[in-house]
Amino acid sequence: MDWIWYSRYIMNRSNLQQTTPAQEQCTATPLGHAIRLLGDEWILLIVMHLLPGPMRFNALRTELGHISSKTLSQRLKGLEELGFIRRDAFLEIPPRVEYQLTEQGQELGAVIEALEQFGKKHLSGQKPTSCSPCALDTE
Amino acid sequence: MDWIWYSRYIMNRSNLQQTTPAQEQCTATPLGHAIRLLGDEWILLIVMHLLPGPMRFNALRTELGHISSKTLSQRLKGLEELGFIRRDAFLEIPPRVEYQLTEQGQELGAVIEALEQFGKKHLSGQKPTSCSPCALDTE
DNA sequence: CAGGATCCGATCGGATACTG
DNA sequence: CAGTATCCGATCGGATCCTG
């Protein structure tokens, strides 16, 4: 019975890879943009820790655990360019830089809250599955 | 003046990499779990497209644009294991499989809505920055 | 049609070293 | 302290081929 699938495959293989119909809808809309923004583990984590108030660079690093300075400064720069956080650098010895959420950034709190509600409701005692490739030691 | 920084560096380098204080808080809490779940671009996109109703495998592929079957089935399997979508397979010729959100999955709609509100509010006319490494052609 | 298996290039991100 | 630059291994995900 292989020929059934085979023939269909051959007949339909002509024009299948060309049409990219809703792809731009997935990436060009504000929602798509937002999804790609939050499609990064660190972004939300950073915003979450910034919600209570301003924080310094290394304080963030400590709170976030094992993030590298490269990754952190990357994300912070990105968030700053988007206007979601503000960077205040004090030219002192030793240097001090504080990051805090702008009004726009604060509104991400709503998303985080929704996320938290959801997490508490459905992900409480669950163990990671194939969705969570987290290999962190839980000592 | 290099010696200032240098000496401080040497003095503080002893115990800095050991303490992983809030790392387990970032990953073991429901919120952390949720963040890691949504820390994947596709997950939210899939859920979004599934909100209106059940959908078949290739329909999803078409809607999502350029996702590969491997990635899609991966995500679907993960979501199914978490209990957020249900997979109904009809053993016919040709095969038909429909995916739909469970009640738990529906509640992700709230998160998506929050995200959409935010996106429409702050990301409308914005161009991607370093936060969005999207290299998709916008033909 | 709905996937699984495999290959492999691109990307991400951690570790390290260095600077002001 | 607050980063930047570089290296490099691990991972992701797309392309391709294959099956029922």
Side-chain angles (χ1 to χ4, degrees), chain B residues 38-89:
Chain B
L38 305 196
D40 184 294
E41 304 186 39
W42 294 120
I43 295 288
L44 276 178
L45 250 9
I46 291 171
V47 173
M48 187 178 80
H49 283 283
L50 240 36
L51 279 176
M55 248 195 207
R56 298 176 61 174
F57 189 83
N58 273 2
L60 267 175
R61 277 197 66 190
T62 305
E63 289 276 346
L64 291 175
H66 67 297
I67 192 174
S68 68
S69 64
K70 168 183 166 183
T71 305
L72 179 55
S73 66
Q74 234 172 234
R75 298 294 183 273
L76 288 174
K77 193 178 299 181
L79 284 170
E80 189 190 359
E81 289 183 15
L82 285 170
F84 294 151
I85 67 176
R86 204 181 60 205
R87 189 191 120 113
D88 296 319

Side-chain angles (χ1 to χ4, degrees), chain A residues 3-34:
Chain A
W3 57 272
I4 296 185
W5 310 106
Y6 183 69
S7 58
R8 295 201 191 212
Y9 173 69
I10 291 296
M11 291 182 65
N12 289 336
R13 70 182 302 182
S14 48
N15 55 352
L16 65 125
Q17 202 67 0
Q18 298 304 52
T19 55
T20 57
Q23 143 179 348
E24 54 265 25
Q25 288 182 16
C26 287
T27 59
T29 65
L31 179 54
H33 204 125

Side-chain angles (χ1 to χ4, degrees), chain A residues 85-106:
Chain A
I85 65 175
R86 206 181 60 204
R87 189 192 120 114
D88 297 318
F90 305 88
L91 290 186
E92 317 170 341
I93 302 283
R96 183 158 57 99
V97 180
E98 287 189 345
Y99 294 92
Q100 61 181 304
L101 296 173
T102 62
E103 296 76 20
Q104 293 195 24
Q106 302 272 0

